[in-house]
Amino acid sequence: MRLVLLGPPGAGKGTLAALLKESLELVHISTGDMLREEIKKETATGRAAKKFIEKGELVPDEFVIRLIEKKLTSDKRVAQGYLLDGFPRTRKQAEDLDRILRQIQQPLDYVLYMESTLPVIIQRLGGRRVCKNCGALYHLHNKPSKKEKVCDLCGGEVYQRADDNEATIRTRMDVYLKSTRPVIDYYKVQGKLKKLDGDKDSEEVQVALMQIFHEDHKLNKH
Ligand SMILES: [Zn+2]
């Protein structure tokens, strides 16, 4: 199954992605993770991307497309199916993705859109904490680490990302909705869009999604 997962930051994409990855054995392709990896390695792409991310702005298409194209054409594991997370975010990116997928003759099965409201998103992201070392996610109220500011898994430092404060969250949401509307419309026309309620918890969302897959007889073939 080849899926795209859309939704504003904090709509619960990450948690759903983890569930789908496990239940359907999909490769999770997150442009956010790939970019953070570039930043960590201090590559040229990473240094350029960092400036945009810190301001709550989108990283320009050309950087992201290059990372995606490399992944889809050179990583053999993607043949078993994948979940694209955080991409495409603009109509231009959606068109570029279709171009890449036509070349390798692997069209998308679905585009999943997680819809979520601003108060829910602020509550989720404002309390979010991340391990600096392994990337494990925590939440001040829903999932605190056992010891304050220390990762349960690796002992690394657990911190609040610079772009997880309320003002930046509002900016990210505005930027997201403005730029993503054309992407939503693009896939709606193709008949591939499925809307999911991101205000619900991820187990409920997953159940709803599995129902869609079963109804379309998508689960037995890859
Ligand atoms: Zn850790």
Side-chain angles (χ1 to χ4, degrees):
M1 191 110 61
R2 292 181 289 271
L3 305 173
V4 162
L5 188 53
L6 298 175
K13 293 198 307 290
T15 315
L16 182 68
L19 289 172
L20 289 176
K21 190 179 149 188
E22 203 181 296
S23 57
L24 299 177
E25 292 176 8
L26 302 176
V27 177
H28 181 202
I29 305 177
S30 156
T31 49
D33 287 349
M34 288 198 283
L35 284 168
R36 275 189 285 279
E37 185 66 27
E38 298 285 318
I39 290 169
K40 205 169 140 192
K41 286 194 216 152
E42 296 187 346
T43 61
T45 306
R47 281 197 301 272
K50 192 177 179 184
K51 290 179 190 154
F52 294 98
I53 292 172
E54 281 176 345
K55 284 186 282 186
E57 291 173 9
L58 293 178
V59 176
D61 286 345
E62 56 194 281
F63 295 102
V64 188
I65 294 284
R66 232 179 291 148
L67 291 175
I68 288 290
E69 183 155 21
K70 196 174 143 204
K71 186 82 180 172
L72 291 179
T73 55
S74 67
D75 187 338
K76 290 199 172 59
R77 294 177 312 140
V78 302
Q80 71 193 61
Y82 57 81
L83 181 66
L84 260 176
D85 180 4
F87 181 92
R89 286 214 235 196
T90 62
R91 188 183 168 108
K92 169 81 169 58
Q93 289 183 350
E95 288 167 354
D96 284 339
L97 176 62
D98 269 349
R99 175 180 54 76
I100 295 168
L101 294 177
R102 266 197 305 274
Q103 278 164 12
I104 54 177
Q105 297 182 308
Q106 292 178 357
L108 295 170
D109 290 297
Y110 292 111
V111 174
L112 312 175
Y113 179 44
M114 298 277 280
E115 280 188 302
S116 199
T117 55
L118 192 57
V120 173
I121 286 176
I122 287 172
Q123 195 272 335
R124 281 180 185 155
L125 289 188
R128 187 164 77 167
R129 299 293 181 271
V130 189
C131 173
K132 222 168 212 169
N133 184 44
C134 74
L137 286 175
Y138 297 94
H139 193 279
L140 280 188
H141 311 291
N142 307 337
K143 194 194 168 196
S145 54
K146 290 195 184 84
K147 205 173 149 197
E148 208 189 327
K149 294 183 181 172
V150 178
C151 179
D152 295 350
L153 302 176
C154 76
E157 184 196 341
V158 172
Y159 77 117
Q160 182 175 33
R161 272 170 41 186
D163 56 353
D164 276 349
N165 67 76
E166 190 171 329
T168 314
I169 292 167
R170 284 179 189 277
T171 308
R172 286 160 75 195
M173 182 84 167
D174 283 346
V175 170
Y176 184 84
L177 292 178
K178 227 176 270 169
S179 63
T180 310
R181 183 55 51 198
V183 179
I184 304 292
D185 294 342
Y186 179 79
Y187 287 121
K188 205 186 270 172
V189 170
Q190 291 190 1
K192 291 189 173 168
L193 191 78
K194 299 282 175 189
K195 283 189 184 180
L196 303 169
D197 185 353
D199 282 354
K200 291 191 174 153
D201 69 46
S202 41
E203 279 83 6
E204 280 179 87
V205 175
Q206 194 193 18
V207 169
L209 192 53
M210 289 304 158
Q211 206 167 343
I212 293 172
F213 293 163
H214 277 296
E215 280 165 7
D216 288 357
H217 305 287
K218 283 279 186 183
L219 277 182
N220 296 325
K221 54 176 185 179
H222 272 270

PDB file of all heavy atoms in Angstrom, residues 131 133-134 136 151 153-154 156, ligand 1:
ATOM      1  N   CYS A 131      13.164  13.589  22.464  1.00  0.00           N
ATOM      2  CA  CYS A 131      14.522  13.227  22.871  1.00  0.00           C
ATOM      3  C   CYS A 131      15.516  13.722  21.825  1.00  0.00           C
ATOM      4  O   CYS A 131      15.381  13.443  20.645  1.00  0.00           O
ATOM      5  CB  CYS A 131      14.652  11.709  23.030  1.00  0.00           C
ATOM      6  SG  CYS A 131      16.366  11.218  23.321  1.00  0.00           S
ATOM      7  N   ASN A 133      18.474  12.850  21.432  1.00  0.00           N
ATOM      8  CA  ASN A 133      19.355  11.793  20.943  1.00  0.00           C
ATOM      9  C   ASN A 133      18.664  10.818  19.990  1.00  0.00           C
ATOM     10  O   ASN A 133      19.136  10.609  18.881  1.00  0.00           O
ATOM     11  CB  ASN A 133      19.931  11.050  22.156  1.00  0.00           C
ATOM     12  CG  ASN A 133      20.934  10.001  21.751  1.00  0.00           C
ATOM     13  OD1 ASN A 133      21.786  10.258  20.899  1.00  0.00           O
ATOM     14  ND2 ASN A 133      20.821   8.819  22.319  1.00  0.00           N
ATOM     15  N   CYS A 134      17.502  10.238  20.397  1.00  0.00           N
ATOM     16  CA  CYS A 134      16.883   9.187  19.569  1.00  0.00           C
ATOM     17  C   CYS A 134      15.580   9.624  18.916  1.00  0.00           C
ATOM     18  O   CYS A 134      14.996   8.885  18.126  1.00  0.00           O
ATOM     19  CB  CYS A 134      16.661   7.911  20.389  1.00  0.00           C
ATOM     20  SG  CYS A 134      15.301   8.019  21.569  1.00  0.00           S
ATOM     21  N   ALA A 136      12.658  10.032  20.312  1.00  0.00           N
ATOM     22  CA  ALA A 136      11.444   9.528  20.971  1.00  0.00           C
ATOM     23  C   ALA A 136      10.563  10.696  21.397  1.00  0.00           C
ATOM     24  O   ALA A 136      11.065  11.736  21.829  1.00  0.00           O
ATOM     25  CB  ALA A 136      11.821   8.683  22.187  1.00  0.00           C
ATOM     26  N   CYS A 151      15.298  10.759  28.640  1.00  0.00           N
ATOM     27  CA  CYS A 151      14.612   9.800  27.779  1.00  0.00           C
ATOM     28  C   CYS A 151      14.577   8.407  28.426  1.00  0.00           C
ATOM     29  O   CYS A 151      15.595   7.902  28.892  1.00  0.00           O
ATOM     30  CB  CYS A 151      15.313   9.715  26.428  1.00  0.00           C
ATOM     31  SG  CYS A 151      14.576   8.532  25.303  1.00  0.00           S
ATOM     32  N   LEU A 153      14.134   5.650  26.889  1.00  0.00           N
ATOM     33  CA  LEU A 153      14.716   4.645  26.001  1.00  0.00           C
ATOM     34  C   LEU A 153      16.235   4.687  25.960  1.00  0.00           C
ATOM     35  O   LEU A 153      16.894   3.653  25.956  1.00  0.00           O
ATOM     36  CB  LEU A 153      14.185   4.819  24.571  1.00  0.00           C
ATOM     37  CG  LEU A 153      12.664   4.744  24.417  1.00  0.00           C
ATOM     38  CD1 LEU A 153      12.262   5.038  22.980  1.00  0.00           C
ATOM     39  CD2 LEU A 153      12.146   3.384  24.849  1.00  0.00           C
ATOM     40  N   CYS A 154      16.797   5.902  25.955  1.00  0.00           N
ATOM     41  CA  CYS A 154      18.242   5.985  25.730  1.00  0.00           C
ATOM     42  C   CYS A 154      18.973   6.869  26.745  1.00  0.00           C
ATOM     43  O   CYS A 154      20.195   6.983  26.698  1.00  0.00           O
ATOM     44  CB  CYS A 154      18.529   6.480  24.305  1.00  0.00           C
ATOM     45  SG  CYS A 154      18.257   8.235  24.094  1.00  0.00           S
ATOM     46  N   GLY A 156      18.911  10.019  26.824  1.00  0.00           N
ATOM     47  CA  GLY A 156      19.231  11.313  26.211  1.00  0.00           C
ATOM     48  C   GLY A 156      18.411  12.446  26.809  1.00  0.00           C
ATOM     49  O   GLY A 156      17.465  12.213  27.566  1.00  0.00           O
TER      50      GLY A 156
HETATM   51 ZN    ZN B   1      16.104   8.871  23.580  1.00  0.00          ZN
END
